[in-house]
Amino acid sequence: MDSRNLDLADEFCKLVSKSHLLAYLGLPDDASPESAQKKLKARRKYMQGMQSNPKYKQEAIFLIKNFNALSKVLEDPIPYLKDAKRRAESQHLPVLEMTIKGVLAGGNLTHEQEDFLRRNAIELGVSENTFEDVLERLSKESGVARASASLTVTAEELKTVDFYHLLGVPRHASRDEIYARYRSKKEECNGITDPAQRESVRTKVEKAWKVLSDEATRQRYDLSWTRTGPPARNREVTRPVQASTAPPIQLRGTSPDPTPPSVPSLAPARMEVLSERVQKVPVANASVTLSIEVRNGGEMPLRGTIASDQAWLRVLSPSLKPELKQQSVKVQIVPKLIEARQANGTLTLTSESGEKVQIEVVATRKGAPVLLFALGGAGLGALVLVGVLAVTWLGASTDYVIDIDPWAEEVLLDGKSVGSGSRVVLDSPPQGEATLTVRHRNFKPWVRDVTIEPGGSYDVDLELSSRMDFKPAPSQRRANLDQRVAGEVMTHFQPRLDRCLRSGLADKPMQGVLRIHVGPDGYTTGVEIQGDGAKSPAIVECLKQQAAGPVFPPLKDGDFATVRYDYHIKPQ
Amino acid sequence: MSEDDAIVLGIDLGTTFSAMSIVNDYGKPEIITNADGHPTTPSVVHFYDEDACVVGEEAVKMVVIDPENVVRFIKRHMGEEDFSLEFFGRAYTPQEISALILRKLKEDAEELLGKEVRDVVITVPAYFNSAQRGATAEAGTIAGLNVLSIINEPTAAAIAYGLDRIGGQRKLLVLDLGGGTFDVTCMEISGTKLTTLASDGNAELGGKDWDDRLLNHVAEEFYEKFQLDPRDDAAPYQELYERCLHAKISLSTKDRAMIPVNYRGMRMAAKISRELFEELTADLVQQCEDTANIVLEKAGLQWSELDDVLLVGGSTRMPMIRDLLIKLSSKQPAEGVNPDECVALGASLAGVFRHRPNHPALKSTREKVKKKAKKAAPKPAEPVRKPTGAVIGLASGGHVAKKALEDAQGAGLPDSSDPFDQPTTMSGSARSMMGLDSGSSREEPPEDDFQVSDDDEGAEVDDGEDEGFEGLLDVQIEDATTHPLGIIVLDKQRRERVVELIPEGTKLPYEFRGRFAYAYENMTAVRVEVTEGTGEYRDEVTVIGKVELTGLPPRPRGTPIEVIYSYGVNQILKVQVVDVETGITRTVDIRFQGGLTQQQVAEARQRNSRMDVE
Ligand SMILES: Nc1ncnc2c1ncn2[C@@H]1O[C@H](COP(=O)(O)OP(=O)(O)OP(=O)(O)O)[C@@H](O)[C@H]1O
Ligand SMILES: [Mg+2]
């Protein structure tokens, strides 16, 4: 396939904030080439009438100009989709790595942090597997132990604990299914109020994931388990088979269902979905839970799975509960992950016997769009350091919420710690003025007097606590900085440097050179200014502050690197 | 009909409206109305069938009913590669769509005049680059027209305006804010010469952007209320756009306007005050201000040194633009200029000055000047007259010519002097009054034209009255380039570099001759790539043409090659590459390359002629 066409398709998808062309056309991943062509053509025709429409102009003109390229790409959707997914991943990988490094710089990695990173990875379109690999590699490189690494699963545990049961997944479940279940279990953990109990449950879940996530350990576990038979307690509950008559060794996937054979005279299970096939949900900032009513129209247990095609549409439990006659399947809409004002997602309920029901979920934002700090598009430098802090009021009876994007190690109100992470819920909303503090390791705290009010939003800039006037000594070795990434970091960062320079701008243009020195870890260590503005203490101070912002790629072959920025600022 | 008196139709091919004009036998430019009797025709095309379309007001009406088959603002896409629209299974380039508008204009003109129209002068924004100019010329060719010149809109406007002001030396700023483009040009009128001093603009800023601001504002307000966005559907969007457009126009005279929105059963009336409108568009006005300042800076002038400011284009009717100009220049904009018509009027005048040296109005002036000079009755010269009132008055050509006569007389005929060397007065001999249609590709008027027959002695030209005098003075138009032109060369390390040969703002005509050398040993072919735009590297500029010189004998590195760029007044760039030793020469006209090959243009012309245009 022509790589230029693929590039164009990629560019277009970014423009319309869609993951790939089929999603743009509202088609499923397995759509036929013919239907894709037809849809694309119709879209183009429609867009012709929109090309002067300011809201759709860019989309329309791009589509008109590059119609042939897009159409070529869709001649063969399968390789295209593969490519689109691979691209999404490789594009966002540097960003992800940078974020991970930022977190690892703290010296350890807690469960919460790992969760945060994993969430980021998913938002960026990086697959679980890749994420795990990268995290593993980087944590090894930096010598930081993962919280999960400290877990040791004893040989005893391997023999006695039914990890499948613990997570509530069938033995033949795929890794993805296991993963989804593992995550929702972990989320459930957060609801446990007693900290000791929470930790113990969490540890068990982590252990289960540790064993089942790795192909090799899982196979070993399966084998040992089938040989020795399940622990007695479990046997009684899920598997009324004699321990002495353990089944022969079976490979996963071909293993028979762990439930007992049913009596043949029972009516086969039939999946009936009672809820509307199109669910329109208005959302604000808070997550919304949606219930889909499913009834078993037969008598045999109803087994099946629920899957979503969108990250913002989270399935809380990926499988149906077979024993229930009627059940509510819960899905969660996470508005933070919705980029546009409106988003469409599809839930697919598939029963074991192959019945398939699709429910379209249309989430529409109420009110103005919430400013999200887009991890992908915004550039690399400021990920860990800069964010948006938005105060939201969730509604009449509920609370104030502070959303911090990406996240904060600690948030304090009037000196009192109110929480951490990317969302802080205030149970007693402060009246009017308050001092808001955001803390991060390695950075000076961000302190601001604010009025807590719904819709308030503040840019949080954290300044590195080390002094910004470190200059490399002559004896130090100059390293090669990855020019491409460094360039990207600078692109994002330049407006803020310019803002500093502009603050001292009279009516004459200013020009000169800024040198930003970078230490071995990629963090900036100093900034120098030559030329206009160098004599202004305000500008220099501002530059020093801003220079803490960018994180460059770590240096490989030297002690320092210098990024040069020739500025030329004109009065606006 | 002889070539010389064939009609030259001046066409203002606008983003939103087009207009056309001719110069009558008395030297007066006249607007040609369309079949509906209107002076301007909306530049809108509705395709209603395979090979059938309607242009103008009728097409505008269809936009809310059949938005997918209506094209507006096509000028914004001129010169863009890969842009084509599809109607009834056929793809149309921007050139072809513009050609349909041109055909409608031509056919309406022919009907009104009862004569065939072939030769045209089409205007483009000064800031158009060569691809955009080229595309415009291609559109003309596709429409079956013979495009004599492409001329800059502000220059055309200045010609129409300046015709009445010829004589002194005046500095003039033309600010043209139309439907889709913004142009600022600083011109000097000196004697009979019109010179472009500096020009800048934005081909993506126009009334449409003001409309869009209103539209976005109203749509967002509607969304806040109903969570529905009328921009999301083609037809409701078009309807709302029309309403915003009308609101904008009424805000030029009224303090507030109401924009009703009716979408998916929800209704709302947005109230827009002029204040709010100005707030919504403040940054656009700021852009206009910046551009105007840049042009003055380029021309090396202070605002106070300007004699006149001229507002052209429908969008300059907005008080915010007038106010801006008054604020900047501390002057009232020139009165009596019709902002919708003066570009077309200037285009037809330019057509006569450049391409019809024997136009009856020019001839009669020359004769009368000659006669007057012969008589040489010493009469005191009248003070330079400041014309007021309509620019294109019936006798405008007349009274200018007459004043020239008077000046010629007063100066006592210094036969050898050239008026252009003494720009502050209009003194000069009858011969120099002819002006030199220099720069035009045509040859000078034949000598016979200077002969005066004795029996015309008693002509009534010196009675001091305007009436009865008909004629047109030769005017020289000196345009300047708006984008730098260069060449791609290899430097010592054999890396590609762009070398600028003709800087921006160079007066036309202009010729550059430069020597370059072989980059490699034993080369047998040379390729010259002509670039447009500012930059040092290939990807910062646009390559607008290539000349290849092949079949050369192999010679060492350093062998000289001469490159000649000649840029004529008609916006034709001629590039010659000469092998100095052998004299082998290759010439290429980079004129009018809008992205189509000659064959494509010819095919489009064929197709276009089969198309029904109403
Ligand atoms: N009274 C008015 N107040 C505000 N805007 C107006 C008024 N009259 C016309 N316009 C606007 O002027 C524009 C049309 O001007 P004009 O006909 O000069 O442009 P054009 O020649 O079609 O475009 P361009 O010169 O950019 O190619 C339109 O955007 C129209 O809405
Ligand atoms: Mg115009």
Side-chain angles (χ1 to χ4, degrees), chain B residues 205-218:
Chain B
L205 180 68
K208 171 72 167 58
D209 298 289
W210 270 259
D211 305 337
D212 285 352
R213 290 297 165 88
L214 266 189
L215 177 92
N216 283 339
H217 174 82
V218 174

Side-chain angles (χ1 to χ4, degrees), chain A residues 526-541:
Chain A
V527 59
E528 275 181 89
I529 172 171
Q530 269 169 12
D532 300 331
K535 292 211 177 68
S536 152
I539 292 184
V540 173
E541 202 41 51

Side-chain angles (χ1 to χ4, degrees), chain B residues 161 164-165 334-337 386-393:
Chain B
Y161 172 81
D164 265 0
R165 276 91 178 151
E335 291 290 324
V337 185
K386 265 222 166 167
T388 49
V391 181
I392 311 302

Side-chain angles (χ1 to χ4, degrees), chain B residues 12 14 153 176 178:
Chain B
D12 170 9
E153 284 163 15
D176 181 352

Side-chain angles (χ1 to χ4, degrees), chain A residues 44-46 48-56 61 64-65 341 364-365 367-368, chain B residues 68-69 77 80 82 84-87 208 215-216 223 229 231-234 237-238:
Chain A
R44 180 211 154 115
K45 183 81 191 149
Y46 179 73
Q48 257 182 214
M50 291 293 225
Q51 45 136 334
S52 58
N53 185 332
K55 188 171 169 186
Y56 291 93
I61 290 175
I64 290 168
K65 283 194 167 181
R341 278 200 165 167
T364 316
R365 272 189 187 284
Chain B
E68 291 168 17
N69 289 319
H77 298 293
E80 269 177 34
D82 321 321
S84 70
L85 298 174
E86 237 180 76
F87 303 100
K208 171 72 167 58
L215 177 92
N216 283 339
Y223 185 86
D229 190 336
R231 288 171 299 186
D232 290 346
D233 282 314
Y237 151 69
Q238 297 286 3

Side-chain angles (χ1 to χ4, degrees), chain A residues 233-309:
Chain A
R233 189 175 51 86
N234 283 340
R235 237 181 310 163
E236 277 156 26
V237 179
T238 61
R239 203 180 257 248
V241 190
Q242 302 306 115
S244 53
T245 58
I249 296 171
Q250 276 158 345
L251 289 174
R252 205 165 1 93
T254 60
S255 69
D257 205 280
T259 46
S262 354
V263 188
S265 63
L266 291 180
R270 209 173 64 237
M271 184 170 73
E272 291 172 7
V273 177
L274 306 175
S275 304
E276 294 276 342
R277 295 302 146 93
V278 178
Q279 298 272 337
K280 292 207 166 119
V281 192
V283 295
N285 285 344
S287 301
V288 175
T289 309
L290 202 66
S291 297
I292 308 291
E293 292 300 315
V294 181
R295 192 168 59 189
N296 183 351
E299 291 166 283
M300 302 248 293
L302 171 65
R303 271 171 252 281
T305 56
I306 306 116
S308 149
D309 62 346

Side-chain angles (χ1 to χ4, degrees), chain B residues 307-318:
Chain B
D307 296 292
D308 303 292
V309 283
L310 185 58
L311 290 178
V312 183
S315 300
T316 58
R317 291 205 180 90
M318 290 189 292

Side-chain angles (χ1 to χ4, degrees), chain B residues 433-455:
Chain B
M433 287 303 304
M434 298 295 180
L436 296 169
D437 197 6
S438 73
S440 151
S441 53
R442 288 178 172 264
E443 72 284 20
E444 304 269 311
E447 272 297 313
D448 321 340
D449 277 9
F450 295 83
Q451 284 171 5
V452 179
S453 66
D454 276 4
D455 32 76

